[in-house]
């Protein structure tokens, strides 16, 4: 690669090479670097443009204040001269040649050397997370006698009350982010239209005040709309029924003050426009492509009733999430409900429309080739522009975190390595034809810590796969947890590592939504279904043999650690392939005993595992070939509460992690210094 192009790329945080999963250096194609620089507004299409770009980069005064200053509490920072800090509460404080270490936590303004910039003072670390256990829950899969074809926030409140009363300290959900209101309804919770607002599909209609206020005839019509639970979740059917019901109830509702929340007003406008023009704003008439355009204002007036309707739906989501939070607190949960933050958004969705100024237009986020995805991954998601985030004081990032944390006792950050760097694929490139773009990790992580502390929330980073050591160190240093999964807890020979050697600073689970369930692993379902869908790269006999070997390695570890009595082991002579046995239930219990034996601070238990479901929630590499995100749990809320398998696992986890004396860390005031100690390694 031309050294001048490499220098220009480095100046803008664009990688010209990376280390793959085999720790080999891979050079990035020059055309990829040129394309990604273009997404950052840097012209590198000719030698003259590269020279001009380098000159501009070198002309930047490195001693000048950056556009956003992020200061860790307890640390000083040199300034180019005297200045004035305007504090978040309106107070003012003069500073000399440095920012002092005792500035209060929060969002301030700094005037210095002829500039005024955003100053964010962030905590050194969060309080130490409690040692507790809880449930991993795909909310759409949880159903009851009152829900409409899929799980809802009423089911979640009921489940949370029961879970807390029986000893659980947390419930970790799939993302509840908003999707587009037009059909077809998106099934994946990880490709949302907005990460700032909530999917109204999760509303429980009968818990709404307007339902109670409606006349009996209207309630009868609403009740008759309720779809039955099916073998698979039909999001379009559920949304058609709920939208009709909510439209019938809207006249009985109190109006929402849109002037009090401009972001909500804009989101509701997008929803109203999406109903008319489709869920992808990029396919709308050109005059509607910007939220502040005159044509949008005109349409907002024409669609005032629909705008008010969609704003009301978000108000209802807030009310019902408040009820879930109250249920967790009343049950004494040390953590409560942990929400999941997807790594990105659908670029054609609401956030792509509202936040276009801070997003890289045309980029697609994904991952480079690895052992499991040898062509790379293209998730089709939009990405923040790091330069625009800094220039705007990280306001969009802050507001997204605040809205997500408003109802959260914790936050799981999907692909947390994305706070350090993301794999950008430029337009026209394949998934492998991308490169990494660097973010200001101190700013991204520090702001996350500030907003989490203010919400009193724990943070879990999904750091599975190939991640840089800086990611693990960064999480640990701020008392944020990483992720440990039994399937991946192996040594270099592929043998399962004893749970005593698992990291302490983690949420430990048996599996994830993208991996086989415990019963599915034991029965070889992951091999069967991938063979059926022609997703195997090797001969099916080889994969079956590998599944048998993996099962035997797991059983060996469980037996060696005295977590599984010898009498429960299957006949090792049965080598034709893994098959269900009467002992599989005992093996699943032993796998949960392995979780309980680990030092991990948080333990997560999936209902799919405990209830014997062999199908995994999502099968990577498929779209319509597999019922991704559509599988209901094999039991209702009432049946779960009465299931002896559930009771057995609950007793096991409560014995390992008794809740008495394990109180939730006190929620600090936003301006207090943070002196919490780091967690142990």
């Amino acid at each position: 690669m031309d050294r001048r192009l490499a220098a220009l790329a480095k100046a803008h945080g664009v990688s010209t090479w990376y280390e793959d999963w085999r720790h080999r250096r891979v050079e990035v194609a020059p055309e990829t670097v040129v394309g990604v620089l273009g997404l950052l507004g840097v012209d590198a299409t000719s030698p003259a443009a590269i020279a001009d770009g380098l000159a501009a980069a070198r002309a930047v005064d490195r001693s000048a204040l950056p556009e956003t200053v992020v200061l860790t509490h307890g640390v000083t920072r040199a300034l180019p001269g005297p200045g004035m800090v305007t504090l978040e509460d309106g107070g003012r404080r003069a500073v000399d040649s440095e920012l002092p270490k005792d500035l209060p936590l929060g969002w301030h303004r700094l005037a210095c050397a002829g500039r005024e910039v955003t100053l964010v003072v962030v905590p050194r670390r969060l309080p130490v997370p409690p040692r507790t256990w809880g449930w991993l829950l795909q909310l759409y899969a949880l159903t009851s006698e009152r829900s409409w074809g899929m799980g809802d926030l009423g089911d979640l409140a009921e489940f949370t009350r029961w879970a807390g009363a029986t000893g659980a300290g947390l419930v970790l959900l799939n993302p509840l982010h908003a999707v587009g209101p037009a059909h077809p309804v998106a099934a994946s919770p990880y490709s949302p239209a907005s990460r700032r607002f909530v999917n109204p599909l999760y509303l429980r209609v009968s818990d709404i005040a307007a339902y109670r206020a409606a006349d009996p005839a209207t309630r009868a019509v609403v009740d008759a709309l309720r779809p039955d639970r099916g073998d698979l979740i039909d999001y379009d059917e559920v949304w058609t029924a709920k939208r009709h019901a909510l439209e019938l109830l809207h006249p009985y509702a109190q109006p929402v003050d849109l002037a009090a929340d401009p972001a909500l007003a804009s989101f509701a406008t997008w929803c109203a426009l999406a109903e008319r023009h489709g869920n992808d704003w990029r396919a709308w008439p050109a005059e509607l492509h910007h939220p502040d355009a005159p044509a949008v204002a005109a349409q907002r007036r024409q669609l005032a009733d629909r705008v008010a309707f969609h704003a009301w739906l978000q108000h209802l989501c807030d009310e019902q999430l408040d009820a879930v939070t109250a249920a967790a607190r009343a049950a004494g949960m040390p953590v409560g409900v942990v929400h999941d933050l997807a790594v990105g958004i659908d670029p054609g969705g609401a956030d792509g429309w509202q936040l276009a100024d801070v997003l890289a237009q045309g980029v697609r986020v994904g991952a480079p080739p690895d052992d499991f995805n040898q062509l790379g991954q293209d998730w089709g998601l939009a990405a923040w522009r790091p330069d625009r985030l800094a220039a705007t004081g990280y306001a969009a990032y802050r507001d997204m975190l605040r809205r997500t944390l408003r109802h959260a006792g914790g936050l799981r950050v999907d692909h947390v390595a994305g706070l350090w760097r993301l794999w950008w694929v430029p337009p026209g490139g394949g998934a492998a034809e991308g490169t990494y773009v660097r973010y200001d990790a101190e700013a991204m992580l520090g702001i996350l810590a500030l907003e989490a502390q203010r919400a009193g929330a724990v943070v879990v980073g999904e750091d599975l796969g190939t991640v840089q050591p800086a990611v693990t160190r960064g999480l640990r240093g701020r008392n944020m947890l990483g992720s440990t999964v039994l399937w991946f807890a192996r040594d270099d020979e592929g043998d399962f590592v004893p749970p005593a050697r698992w990291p302490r600073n983690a949420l430990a689970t048996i599996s994830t939504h993208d991996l086989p369930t415990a019963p599915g692993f034991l029965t070889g379902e992951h091999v069967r279904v991938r063979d059926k869908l022609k997703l195997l790269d090797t001969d099916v006999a080889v994969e079956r043999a590998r599944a048998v070997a993996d099962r035997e390695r797991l059983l060996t570890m469980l037996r060696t650690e005295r977590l599984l009595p010898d009498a429960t082991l299957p006949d090792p002579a049965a080598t034709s392939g893994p098959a269900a046995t009467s002992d599989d239930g005992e093996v699943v219990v032993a796998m949960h005993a392995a979780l309980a034996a680990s030092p991990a601070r948080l333990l997560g238990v999936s209902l799919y595992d405990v209830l014997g479901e062999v199908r995994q929630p999502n099968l990577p590499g498929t779209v319509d070939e597999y019922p991704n995100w559509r599988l209901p749990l094999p039991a209702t809320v009432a049946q779960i509460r009465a299931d002896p398998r559930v009771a057995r696992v609950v007793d096991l986890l409560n014995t390992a992690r008794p809740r008495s004396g394990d109180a939730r860390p006190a929620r600090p005031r936003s301006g207090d210094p943070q002196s919490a100690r780091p967690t142990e390694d």
Side-chain angles (χ1 to χ4, degrees):
M1 182 175 295
D2 180 87
R3 62 180 179 80
R4 292 171 300 172
L5 177 58
L8 183 61
K10 182 178 180 181
H12 291 279
V14 177
S15 298
T16 57
W17 67 275
Y18 66 94
E19 188 178 271
D20 71 5
W21 83 99
R22 292 175 176 167
H23 306 293
R24 301 178 304 186
R25 179 181 174 117
V26 178
E27 301 291 338
V28 177
E31 54 269 26
T32 294
V33 173
V34 171
V36 170
L37 282 170
L39 296 171
L40 290 166
V42 180
D43 184 3
T45 57
S46 69
I50 293 172
D52 290 344
L54 271 177
R58 289 166 179 165
V60 174
D61 184 0
R62 303 298 176 187
S63 65
L65 286 175
E67 293 170 299
T68 299
V69 175
V70 178
L71 179 71
T72 299
H73 188 274
V75 177
T76 62
R77 180 189 175 111
L79 295 174
M84 178 66 68
V85 175
T86 302
L87 299 173
E88 191 174 32
D89 63 5
R92 291 165 63 85
R93 183 167 173 181
V95 293
D96 290 326
S97 58
E98 70 176 15
L99 290 171
K101 62 183 179 181
D102 62 346
L103 286 173
L105 300 177
W107 295 83
H108 317 303
R109 298 292 294 174
L110 168 64
C112 180
R115 298 186 65 194
E116 184 174 345
V117 301
T118 299
L119 168 63
V120 193
V121 181
V122 302
R124 184 185 298 272
R125 57 182 66 93
L126 296 175
V128 178
R131 285 173 51 82
T132 189
W133 70 276
W135 296 99
L136 311 178
L137 181 63
Q138 303 288 322
L139 178 54
Y140 58 81
L142 184 71
T143 58
S144 70
E145 296 302 318
R146 297 182 62 194
S147 50
W148 289 32
M150 62 178 283
D152 60 33
L153 293 170
D155 293 324
L156 177 59
E158 180 183 349
F159 180 84
T160 300
R161 281 190 290 270
W162 166 80
T166 53
L170 63 97
V171 175
L172 193 157
L173 303 172
N174 58 286
L176 303 186
H177 304 319
V179 299
H183 294 282
V185 177
S188 172
Y190 289 97
S191 299
S194 174
R195 292 186 290 181
R196 299 177 301 156
F197 297 97
V198 181
N199 189 344
L201 271 168
Y202 289 110
L203 287 172
R204 171 167 285 182
V205 174
S206 58
D207 285 353
I208 296 169
Y211 176 85
R212 297 188 292 272
D215 60 82
T218 299
R219 287 201 301 271
V221 173
V222 167
D223 292 342
L225 292 169
R226 176 182 177 272
D228 293 329
R229 167 183 163 137
D231 294 334
L232 296 177
I233 294 165
D234 187 333
Y235 292 98
D236 285 290
E237 180 187 32
V238 172
W239 178 229
T240 296
K242 283 194 176 181
R243 180 175 55 197
H244 188 186
L246 293 163
E247 288 168 345
L248 291 172
L249 297 174
H250 189 211
Y252 297 91
Q254 295 296 319
V256 176
D257 183 8
L258 290 175
D261 191 344
L264 173 60
S266 182
F267 172 76
T269 300
W270 179 87
C271 289
L273 290 171
E275 287 182 319
R276 174 173 288 187
H277 300 289
N279 288 332
D280 189 341
W281 65 268
R282 297 168 298 181
W284 296 356
E287 64 269 19
L288 301 178
H289 282 192
H290 197 284
D292 297 329
V296 171
Q299 293 259 318
R300 183 183 295 118
R301 291 190 293 271
Q302 294 174 16
L303 299 170
D305 288 345
R306 299 308 296 171
V307 173
F309 174 72
H310 287 287
W312 176 60
L313 297 189
Q314 291 304 307
H315 177 71
L316 297 178
C317 290
D318 282 339
E319 286 186 338
Q320 295 195 5
L321 283 168
D322 282 341
V324 172
T325 301
R329 289 174 177 166
M333 284 187 163
V335 174
V337 177
V338 181
H339 286 267
D340 198 349
L341 181 68
V343 66
I345 56 165
D346 176 354
D351 284 357
W353 185 67
Q354 292 179 265
L355 306 176
D357 291 345
V358 292
L359 296 172
Q361 297 302 317
V363 73
R364 305 190 316 278
V365 172
D370 60 29
D371 192 24
F372 296 100
N373 303 278
Q374 297 182 8
L375 298 179
Q377 297 179 67
D378 180 354
W379 302 329
L381 303 175
W384 301 115
R385 266 186 62 164
D387 57 332
R388 294 298 301 155
L389 280 180
T392 54
Y394 289 86
Y397 177 59
R398 173 198 64 199
D399 294 346
M400 177 195 70
L401 291 174
R402 283 185 177 176
R403 288 185 184 272
T404 306
L405 287 163
R406 187 160 54 186
H407 305 288
L411 185 67
R412 175 191 179 271
V413 181
D414 190 42
H415 191 62
V416 73
L419 301 183
W420 280 258
R421 64 178 189 174
L422 272 176
W423 182 258
W424 285 24
V425 180
E433 298 168 327
T435 189
Y436 283 109
V437 173
R438 187 176 66 249
Y439 290 78
D440 185 341
E442 285 302 306
M444 301 291 281
L445 205 62
I447 291 168
L448 172 59
L450 173 62
E451 295 304 322
Q453 178 174 313
R454 288 184 158 185
V458 302
V459 174
V460 178
E462 188 272 295
D463 59 346
L464 302 172
T466 303
V467 298
Q468 296 176 302
V471 175
T472 303
R473 291 196 303 268
L475 293 174
R476 184 174 63 237
R478 292 187 184 268
N479 282 345
M480 298 176 180
L481 303 182
S483 300
T484 294
V485 175
L486 173 61
W487 302 141
F488 298 143
R490 307 198 193 197
D491 59 22
D492 292 340
E493 283 70 45
D495 293 325
F496 286 89
V497 173
R501 291 167 50 190
W502 296 2
R504 181 185 304 272
N505 195 58
L507 163 71
T509 64
I510 288 174
S511 186
T512 76
H513 55 254
D514 290 333
L515 295 171
T517 65
F521 173 81
L522 294 173
T523 59
E525 171 68 11
H526 55 303
V527 177
R528 187 200 67 79
V529 71
R530 286 189 297 152
D531 176 48
K532 177 182 177 182
L533 298 178
K534 310 301 181 186
L535 296 176
L536 295 176
D537 295 328
T538 57
D539 184 78
V540 64
V542 173
E543 289 296 324
R544 287 173 179 159
R546 182 182 299 172
V548 170
D550 281 346
R551 174 184 169 121
E552 292 306 317
R553 284 176 165 177
L554 173 65
L555 296 175
T556 297
M557 184 274 286
L558 295 174
R559 180 184 58 201
T560 301
E561 296 301 306
R562 300 181 182 275
L563 301 172
L564 182 67
D566 288 349
T568 68
L569 291 179
D571 181 2
T575 58
S576 60
T581 74
S582 59
D583 298 313
D584 276 354
E586 294 298 322
V587 177
V588 170
V589 172
M591 293 159 76
H592 287 93
L595 287 186
S598 80
R601 288 202 163 270
L602 299 183
L603 309 177
V605 180
S606 169
L607 282 166
Y608 286 104
D609 293 340
V610 180
L611 296 175
E613 175 61 72
V614 298
R615 300 170 297 174
Q616 62 195 73
N618 179 56
L619 186 63
T622 64
V623 179
D624 298 324
E625 308 95 316
Y626 184 85
N628 296 315
W629 316 113
R630 293 179 173 88
L631 298 174
L633 287 167
T636 65
V637 175
Q639 291 167 337
I640 290 168
R641 296 173 63 169
D643 195 302
R645 296 169 297 179
V646 173
R648 187 175 178 188
V649 170
V650 166
D651 288 343
L652 188 158
L653 271 298
N654 280 335
T655 300
R657 298 290 169 91
R659 207 162 70 189
S660 59
D662 192 11
R664 175 94 179 253
R667 178 171 176 169
R669 296 186 298 274
S670 62
D672 285 351
Q674 182 53 255
S675 59
R677 68 186 187 278
T679 59
E680 307 89 334
D681 289 342

